[in-house]
Every structure is written in structure tokens, then in C-alpha cells.
Amino acid sequence: MIEVRLYGDLRRYAGKTDPREEAVVWVPYRPGLTVADVLREIGIDPEREVSNIFINGRYDYQARSRLVQDGDRLGVFPRNMALLYC
């Protein structure tokens, strides 16, 4: 399984509106899935709605094209919560 933690207004894809609740969606792992594929399965447009993506706690500028592995954790932030990361 792939754990996807959603932040900001992306939380709605997990059915969460209360910011005190965790917004987590689980997506079954399949070989060949990219991060973008996982986001599309949830209903998120990775190009229009997402700013920053963390894979297993690490920021990855090219995350959308990365292949996921079983057990990966994704942290996904919306465009209106873009992070400055050096």
C-alpha cells in the first residue's frame, strides 16, 4: 500500500475538512505506478493542484515522475501552500 498524506485544500480528497484530523488515503501498490499515477487515482490533478511532494519524508523536486514502492509514504501539498525549499 502507498500512504498519501494530504495537506491544505487537498484534504478534501480524503473526505476531511477539519484541519485537526489527519487526511490520509491508502492506494494499493502496483508495479510501474508513478507518484502522478497515485495522485490521479485519488482524483488529484498533479500538474494543476500540487506544489510540493515529499517521498518518505524527503522533498523531491521531480517526485511526479518517480516510481513508487510498496510501503512508500507521500506528503502532498497544494499550490496555495507552496514551500520554499533550499
Side-chain angles (χ1 to χ4, degrees):
M1 295 294 275
I2 308 301
E3 178 183 339
V4 185
R5 293 186 169 267
L6 302 171
Y7 298 94
D9 60 5
L10 295 177
R11 299 168 51 76
R12 70 184 184 276
Y13 290 100
K16 302 292 183 178
T17 56
D18 185 342
R20 295 171 293 185
E21 295 180 286
E22 291 186 343
V24 180
V25 177
W26 294 90
V27 176
Y29 169 76
R30 292 187 318 275
L33 275 181
T34 65
V35 170
D37 295 331
V38 170
L39 296 177
R40 284 188 201 99
E41 285 195 21
I42 296 170
I44 297 171
D45 182 333
E47 301 305 320
R48 292 188 357 193
E49 296 183 84
V50 175
S51 64
N52 299 98
I53 301 170
F54 288 74
I55 301 174
N56 299 320
R58 292 181 179 237
Y59 174 70
D60 188 333
Y61 181 74
Q62 298 179 357
R64 288 172 185 81
S65 62
R66 303 276 188 226
L67 292 174
V68 293
Q69 299 298 315
D70 195 20
D72 277 352
R73 293 174 297 117
L74 307 179
V76 185
F77 291 82
R79 289 246 179 240
N80 64 355
M81 288 182 76
L83 304 172
L84 296 177
Y85 192 85
C86 299

